[in-house]
Amino acid sequence: MARPRKKIEEVRINQITVRLTDAEKEYAIQQAKLANLSVTTWVRKAAFSKRSLILPETTPMHRAYYKQLVGMSNNINQITKKLNQGRYTKILTEIEKANTLLEKITKLLINDRQAD
């Protein structure tokens, strides 16, 4: 079965040639890869969208790791505050929880590096 025909308004018949430096080409390829688009589609979206298509270097997975690390640093600050106030009860369990979280993140980061 054949693909349905596009409407005449949707058919792309015009072509523009753009000359890029090696650095510009590599940048376009990287950004397209980060956006999970072909280079052509990324360039088209970058040219005709109202917002910039410059994407951050972080992936959703790295953002999740960052969020976990921020939470852990908050926990460490709370533990430090309790220690400075002279409250030693339940500190050991909080330290063990933080240590467990650190070990999990370390394993995830090691697995992430090995997957690359």
Side-chain angles (χ1 to χ4, degrees), residues 52-91:
S52 175
L53 286 179
I54 297 172
L55 299 175
E57 295 287 328
T58 59
T59 64
M61 180 178 60
H62 289 115
R63 277 185 238 124
Y65 289 157
Y66 178 75
K67 189 175 179 180
Q68 271 189 315
L69 287 171
V70 168
M72 289 170 49
S73 68
N74 289 336
N75 290 344
I76 290 170
N77 286 337
Q78 290 170 2
I79 291 168
T80 304
K81 183 178 177 181
K82 288 181 182 180
L83 284 171
N84 288 334
Q85 291 174 345
R87 297 183 191 173
Y88 295 103
T89 59
K90 298 184 182 179
I91 289 293

Side-chain angles (χ1 to χ4, degrees), residues 87-116:
R87 297 183 191 173
Y88 295 103
T89 59
K90 298 184 182 179
I91 289 293
L92 183 59
T93 57
E94 290 186 43
I95 291 172
E96 288 173 347
K97 286 180 187 177
N99 191 29
T100 303
L101 284 173
L102 280 170
E103 288 174 359
K104 286 180 181 178
I105 288 178
T106 302
K107 287 178 185 177
L108 288 171
L109 289 170
I110 290 170
N111 290 339
D112 184 45
R113 282 189 183 171
Q114 290 174 351
D116 291 341

